[in-house]
Amino acid sequence: MRIAHYIRLTVLLLWISLGFTSQVSAQNASCFSPGTLVASDPVDWPIVGFHDIEKIYVAEPYSSDGVQKIVFSLKVRNLRPDIPLAPLPLGTWNVMFNGTSGPSRYVQMSTMIGNPVLKHGTVTTVLGLPVFNEIGTVFGSYDNHGMMTFSIDKASVGNPQVGSTLTISSKTFVNTVGIGLLQLDESSPINYTILGNGTCAPFNIVPFGLNGDIPVTSDYNRNGASDFSVWRPSTGTWFSIDSVTGLYSQVQHGSGPNGDIPVAGHFDNDINADATVYRPSSGEWIIRSTETGATRTVRFGLAEDLPSPGDFDGDQVDDIAVFRPSNGTWYILNSADSSVRISKFGISEDRPVVGDYDGDRRDDIAVFRPALGDWYYYQSSNNAAVGMHFGAGTDVAVPADYDGDGKTDVAVWRPETGTWYMYQSFSQSIGYGFWGLSTDRVQPGDYNGNGRADLAVWRPETGVWYVHYR
């Protein structure tokens, strides 16, 4: 049995390397290894502690166009970019890195106008105060939970070579408007050695799960990266491995024999995803809070309903919501004020595909109509309905933010060919890639924490995850 298993695994890996890799690498894919935690600052500054940068991750992707980058992912405590001018609109956050051969350089995130503006430059001193000298903008994204991810070309920061050291520290400033940057807080500096891109792999293979499990991808560990997670109906157990740190966790919650459906979502205030099930027989949502460990039950829905949670009211907490195919109606329980929203949007054969399609950091109600290959979503930013044709009847809807611009991209996966088609909102162009077999379960997510969704599938018969980083 062991020899046979080894042979099958060897053939499988060979097939992946000869088949998938050659196809995917032709699609302008990035070589990206998961980010490394380089700084952790659990201490609050006493007055404006909610501005503190808690963690910084660094990784070094290499794009097929030859551009080498440094990617920072950082968690800013309780940042609310979705609320203009709040809290402390003059706050400025900086990540400083001092190369061995070059001046100190910063990536600056300012909320002078409410939403963070990402840019890089140098810092000089005027009258004893640091002054930021902008060189250029930085491409990045951020969410309501205070997680920011941005990338800069290595050439723009002195083109540090393999083995050279960057000294990284997070700084919290208040912009004194015309005078300079008044420093309020600084984490302890940490050194990071440039690794280079020669050994990074564009894909990851992770054995995790058994045949019969249900994959439930989400961020259960609050580090901005999707975790490898499954729910086992036979025991009602949730299993997860942090895709960045490798931390393992499990918790018993829910019951397969009772017909429970696992639902990924953030239903409390700690940002971690909560183990949640929807029980169609009673229309109950049973939520186990990762914040308190307590379980609560909310009755909201009917047996026919499809659970479709999302943060529709923009309060950083997912709202309990269902789509009722029989009448094409959405029922949403707003977490902010416990009010109920009822919206007629869709028809019986539609499939709910919740996402933030307009980039206002509130989820939009949306449906995919397989018979026509049509998408319809209702933008919360302007209350306008949008429709577009993208896909075919046999396609699986896989909406996610594949280009890292903070908007959910319309996307489908075609099982018969294993092809992903993505309408990228940033460039308004169509991207594609080959990843997966017809029997796989597609699970797109940001598994390396770089702010872009990766192509990922889970193979039920072997319990193996296959991820192609973007």
Short mmCIF file of all heavy atoms in Angstrom, two decimals, residues 178-218:
data_model
loop_
_atom_site.label_atom_id
_atom_site.label_comp_id
_atom_site.label_asym_id
_atom_site.label_seq_id
_atom_site.Cartn_x
_atom_site.Cartn_y
_atom_site.Cartn_z
N GLY A 178 1.93 71.31 7.05
CA GLY A 178 2.83 72.39 6.68
C GLY A 178 4.07 72.50 7.54
O GLY A 178 5.00 73.22 7.21
N ILE A 179 4.10 71.79 8.67
CA ILE A 179 5.27 71.86 9.56
C ILE A 179 6.13 70.62 9.40
O ILE A 179 7.34 70.71 9.24
CB ILE A 179 4.81 72.02 11.03
CG1 ILE A 179 3.99 73.30 11.18
CG2 ILE A 179 6.02 72.05 11.95
CD1 ILE A 179 3.45 73.51 12.58
N GLY A 180 5.52 69.46 9.44
CA GLY A 180 6.28 68.24 9.31
C GLY A 180 5.53 67.07 9.88
O GLY A 180 4.32 67.14 10.13
N LEU A 181 6.22 65.97 10.12
CA LEU A 181 5.63 64.76 10.64
C LEU A 181 6.04 64.59 12.09
O LEU A 181 7.22 64.44 12.39
CB LEU A 181 6.06 63.55 9.82
CG LEU A 181 5.77 63.61 8.31
CD1 LEU A 181 6.36 62.41 7.61
CD2 LEU A 181 4.28 63.70 8.07
N LEU A 182 5.09 64.63 12.98
CA LEU A 182 5.37 64.48 14.41
C LEU A 182 5.24 63.01 14.78
O LEU A 182 4.16 62.42 14.70
CB LEU A 182 4.39 65.32 15.23
CG LEU A 182 4.54 65.23 16.76
CD1 LEU A 182 5.92 65.72 17.19
CD2 LEU A 182 3.44 66.03 17.46
N GLN A 183 6.37 62.39 15.17
CA GLN A 183 6.37 60.96 15.46
C GLN A 183 5.69 60.68 16.80
O GLN A 183 5.98 61.30 17.81
CB GLN A 183 7.79 60.43 15.48
CG GLN A 183 7.86 58.92 15.72
CD GLN A 183 9.27 58.40 15.56
OE1 GLN A 183 9.96 58.74 14.62
NE2 GLN A 183 9.70 57.58 16.51
N LEU A 184 4.76 59.71 16.78
CA LEU A 184 4.06 59.33 17.99
C LEU A 184 4.45 57.95 18.50
O LEU A 184 4.44 57.69 19.69
CB LEU A 184 2.54 59.34 17.74
CG LEU A 184 1.91 60.69 17.38
CD1 LEU A 184 0.43 60.52 17.16
CD2 LEU A 184 2.17 61.70 18.48
N ASP A 185 4.79 57.05 17.58
CA ASP A 185 5.07 55.68 18.00
C ASP A 185 5.97 55.01 16.99
O ASP A 185 5.92 55.31 15.80
CB ASP A 185 3.75 54.90 18.13
CG ASP A 185 3.98 53.50 18.66
OD1 ASP A 185 4.87 53.33 19.51
OD2 ASP A 185 3.27 52.57 18.24
N GLU A 186 6.82 54.11 17.47
CA GLU A 186 7.72 53.37 16.58
C GLU A 186 7.94 51.99 17.16
O GLU A 186 8.24 51.84 18.34
CB GLU A 186 9.05 54.08 16.43
CG GLU A 186 10.03 53.30 15.55
CD GLU A 186 11.37 54.02 15.41
OE1 GLU A 186 11.51 55.10 16.01
OE2 GLU A 186 12.23 53.49 14.73
N SER A 187 7.76 50.99 16.34
CA SER A 187 8.05 49.63 16.79
C SER A 187 9.56 49.41 16.78
O SER A 187 10.32 50.16 16.17
CB SER A 187 7.38 48.61 15.86
OG SER A 187 7.94 48.68 14.57
N SER A 188 10.00 48.38 17.45
CA SER A 188 11.43 48.06 17.47
C SER A 188 11.87 47.65 16.07
O SER A 188 11.23 46.82 15.43
CB SER A 188 11.71 46.93 18.46
OG SER A 188 11.33 47.31 19.77
N PRO A 189 12.97 48.24 15.56
CA PRO A 189 13.43 47.87 14.22
C PRO A 189 13.83 46.40 14.14
O PRO A 189 14.26 45.80 15.14
CB PRO A 189 14.65 48.78 14.01
CG PRO A 189 14.48 49.89 15.00
CD PRO A 189 13.79 49.27 16.18
N ILE A 190 13.69 45.83 12.96
CA ILE A 190 14.08 44.44 12.76
C ILE A 190 14.79 44.34 11.42
O ILE A 190 14.46 45.06 10.47
CB ILE A 190 12.86 43.49 12.81
CG1 ILE A 190 13.32 42.03 12.82
CG2 ILE A 190 11.91 43.75 11.66
CD1 ILE A 190 12.24 41.07 13.22
N ASN A 191 15.78 43.49 11.35
CA ASN A 191 16.53 43.32 10.12
C ASN A 191 15.93 42.22 9.26
O ASN A 191 15.52 41.17 9.76
CB ASN A 191 17.99 42.97 10.42
CG ASN A 191 18.74 44.13 11.04
OD1 ASN A 191 18.41 45.29 10.79
ND2 ASN A 191 19.74 43.84 11.86
N TYR A 192 15.89 42.47 7.97
CA TYR A 192 15.39 41.48 7.01
C TYR A 192 16.43 41.32 5.91
O TYR A 192 16.87 42.30 5.30
CB TYR A 192 14.06 41.93 6.41
CG TYR A 192 13.58 41.03 5.28
CD1 TYR A 192 13.04 39.78 5.54
CD2 TYR A 192 13.68 41.44 3.96
CE1 TYR A 192 12.61 38.96 4.52
CE2 TYR A 192 13.25 40.62 2.92
CZ TYR A 192 12.72 39.39 3.20
OH TYR A 192 12.29 38.56 2.19
N THR A 193 16.85 40.09 5.68
CA THR A 193 17.85 39.80 4.67
C THR A 193 17.19 39.46 3.34
O THR A 193 16.30 38.60 3.29
CB THR A 193 18.75 38.63 5.10
OG1 THR A 193 19.36 38.94 6.34
CG2 THR A 193 19.82 38.35 4.05
N ILE A 194 17.58 40.15 2.28
CA ILE A 194 17.01 39.91 0.96
C ILE A 194 17.33 38.47 0.53
O ILE A 194 18.48 38.04 0.53
CB ILE A 194 17.59 40.90 -0.06
CG1 ILE A 194 17.14 42.33 0.29
CG2 ILE A 194 17.16 40.54 -1.47
CD1 ILE A 194 15.67 42.56 0.14
N LEU A 195 16.29 37.73 0.19
CA LEU A 195 16.44 36.32 -0.14
C LEU A 195 16.65 36.10 -1.63
O LEU A 195 17.26 35.11 -2.04
CB LEU A 195 15.20 35.54 0.31
CG LEU A 195 14.88 35.61 1.81
CD1 LEU A 195 13.58 34.88 2.10
CD2 LEU A 195 16.01 35.02 2.63
N GLY A 196 16.12 36.98 -2.45
CA GLY A 196 16.16 36.75 -3.89
C GLY A 196 15.00 35.88 -4.32
O GLY A 196 14.24 35.36 -3.50
N ASN A 197 14.87 35.70 -5.62
CA ASN A 197 13.71 35.00 -6.17
C ASN A 197 14.06 33.68 -6.85
O ASN A 197 13.21 33.06 -7.47
CB ASN A 197 13.01 35.92 -7.18
CG ASN A 197 12.78 37.31 -6.64
OD1 ASN A 197 13.51 38.23 -6.98
ND2 ASN A 197 11.79 37.46 -5.80
N GLY A 198 15.31 33.28 -6.74
CA GLY A 198 15.72 32.11 -7.51
C GLY A 198 15.10 30.81 -7.07
O GLY A 198 14.97 29.88 -7.87
N THR A 199 14.72 30.69 -5.80
CA THR A 199 14.21 29.41 -5.32
C THR A 199 12.72 29.42 -5.04
O THR A 199 12.18 28.43 -4.58
CB THR A 199 14.94 29.01 -4.02
OG1 THR A 199 14.72 30.02 -3.03
CG2 THR A 199 16.43 28.86 -4.26
N CYS A 200 12.04 30.54 -5.28
CA CYS A 200 10.62 30.57 -4.96
C CYS A 200 9.83 29.78 -6.01
O CYS A 200 10.23 29.66 -7.16
CB CYS A 200 10.10 32.00 -4.86
SG CYS A 200 10.11 32.92 -6.40
N ALA A 201 8.73 29.21 -5.59
CA ALA A 201 7.90 28.39 -6.47
C ALA A 201 6.55 29.04 -6.67
O ALA A 201 5.98 29.59 -5.74
CB ALA A 201 7.71 26.99 -5.86
N PRO A 202 6.01 28.99 -7.90
CA PRO A 202 4.73 29.64 -8.15
C PRO A 202 3.54 28.85 -7.64
O PRO A 202 2.42 29.31 -7.73
CB PRO A 202 4.70 29.77 -9.67
CG PRO A 202 5.51 28.60 -10.14
CD PRO A 202 6.61 28.44 -9.12
N PHE A 203 3.78 27.63 -7.15
CA PHE A 203 2.65 26.84 -6.68
C PHE A 203 2.98 26.14 -5.37
O PHE A 203 4.13 26.02 -4.98
CB PHE A 203 2.21 25.82 -7.73
CG PHE A 203 3.27 24.84 -8.13
CD1 PHE A 203 3.49 23.69 -7.40
CD2 PHE A 203 4.05 25.06 -9.25
CE1 PHE A 203 4.46 22.78 -7.75
CE2 PHE A 203 5.03 24.15 -9.63
CZ PHE A 203 5.23 23.02 -8.88
N ASN A 204 1.94 25.70 -4.69
CA ASN A 204 2.11 24.99 -3.43
C ASN A 204 1.18 23.79 -3.42
O ASN A 204 0.04 23.86 -3.90
CB ASN A 204 1.77 25.93 -2.26
CG ASN A 204 2.31 25.43 -0.93
OD1 ASN A 204 3.02 24.42 -0.88
ND2 ASN A 204 1.98 26.12 0.14
N ILE A 205 1.65 22.68 -2.87
CA ILE A 205 0.86 21.46 -2.76
C ILE A 205 0.78 21.09 -1.28
O ILE A 205 1.80 20.85 -0.64
CB ILE A 205 1.49 20.30 -3.57
CG1 ILE A 205 1.62 20.71 -5.05
CG2 ILE A 205 0.69 19.03 -3.44
CD1 ILE A 205 2.36 19.70 -5.90
N VAL A 206 -0.43 21.06 -0.74
CA VAL A 206 -0.62 20.85 0.69
C VAL A 206 -1.63 19.72 0.93
O VAL A 206 -2.82 19.89 0.67
CB VAL A 206 -1.12 22.13 1.38
CG1 VAL A 206 -1.29 21.90 2.87
CG2 VAL A 206 -0.18 23.29 1.12
N PRO A 207 -1.17 18.56 1.40
CA PRO A 207 -2.13 17.50 1.77
C PRO A 207 -2.85 17.88 3.05
O PRO A 207 -2.22 18.00 4.11
CB PRO A 207 -1.24 16.27 1.97
CG PRO A 207 0.10 16.63 1.40
CD PRO A 207 0.21 18.12 1.55
N PHE A 208 -4.16 18.09 2.99
CA PHE A 208 -4.90 18.48 4.18
C PHE A 208 -6.38 18.23 3.96
O PHE A 208 -7.05 18.95 3.23
CB PHE A 208 -4.65 19.96 4.52
CG PHE A 208 -5.17 20.35 5.89
CD1 PHE A 208 -4.54 19.88 7.03
CD2 PHE A 208 -6.28 21.15 6.02
CE1 PHE A 208 -5.01 20.23 8.29
CE2 PHE A 208 -6.75 21.52 7.27
CZ PHE A 208 -6.12 21.05 8.41
N GLY A 209 -6.88 17.18 4.60
CA GLY A 209 -8.29 16.84 4.48
C GLY A 209 -8.48 15.41 4.02
O GLY A 209 -7.55 14.74 3.56
N LEU A 210 -9.72 14.94 4.16
CA LEU A 210 -10.09 13.58 3.76
C LEU A 210 -11.25 13.65 2.78
O LEU A 210 -12.02 14.63 2.75
CB LEU A 210 -10.49 12.74 4.98
CG LEU A 210 -9.45 12.55 6.08
CD1 LEU A 210 -10.06 11.77 7.23
CD2 LEU A 210 -8.21 11.85 5.54
N ASN A 211 -11.39 12.59 2.01
CA ASN A 211 -12.55 12.50 1.11
C ASN A 211 -13.82 12.53 1.94
O ASN A 211 -13.97 11.80 2.92
CB ASN A 211 -12.48 11.20 0.31
CG ASN A 211 -13.37 11.24 -0.91
OD1 ASN A 211 -14.10 12.22 -1.12
ND2 ASN A 211 -13.32 10.20 -1.71
N GLY A 212 -14.73 13.40 1.59
CA GLY A 212 -15.95 13.60 2.37
C GLY A 212 -15.95 14.91 3.11
O GLY A 212 -17.01 15.39 3.54
N ASP A 213 -14.76 15.51 3.30
CA ASP A 213 -14.68 16.83 3.92
C ASP A 213 -15.23 17.91 2.98
O ASP A 213 -15.34 17.70 1.77
CB ASP A 213 -13.23 17.18 4.28
CG ASP A 213 -12.68 16.34 5.41
OD1 ASP A 213 -13.48 15.65 6.08
OD2 ASP A 213 -11.45 16.35 5.63
N ILE A 214 -15.54 19.05 3.54
CA ILE A 214 -16.00 20.20 2.76
C ILE A 214 -15.01 21.34 2.97
O ILE A 214 -14.80 21.78 4.10
CB ILE A 214 -17.41 20.64 3.20
CG1 ILE A 214 -18.41 19.50 2.99
CG2 ILE A 214 -17.85 21.90 2.43
CD1 ILE A 214 -19.80 19.81 3.52
N PRO A 215 -14.36 21.83 1.91
CA PRO A 215 -13.41 22.94 2.08
C PRO A 215 -14.14 24.22 2.45
O PRO A 215 -15.19 24.54 1.89
CB PRO A 215 -12.75 23.04 0.70
CG PRO A 215 -13.74 22.46 -0.25
CD PRO A 215 -14.47 21.39 0.51
N VAL A 216 -13.61 24.96 3.41
CA VAL A 216 -14.22 26.21 3.88
C VAL A 216 -13.11 27.25 4.05
O VAL A 216 -12.69 27.57 5.16
CB VAL A 216 -14.96 26.03 5.22
CG1 VAL A 216 -15.96 27.17 5.43
CG2 VAL A 216 -15.69 24.69 5.28
N THR A 217 -12.64 27.79 2.94
CA THR A 217 -11.53 28.73 2.97
C THR A 217 -11.92 30.05 3.60
O THR A 217 -12.95 30.63 3.28
CB THR A 217 -11.02 28.98 1.54
OG1 THR A 217 -10.52 27.76 1.01
CG2 THR A 217 -9.92 30.01 1.53
N SER A 218 -11.09 30.55 4.50
CA SER A 218 -11.24 31.88 5.08
C SER A 218 -9.99 32.18 5.89
O SER A 218 -9.09 31.33 5.99
CB SER A 218 -12.49 31.97 5.96
OG SER A 218 -12.81 33.32 6.25
#
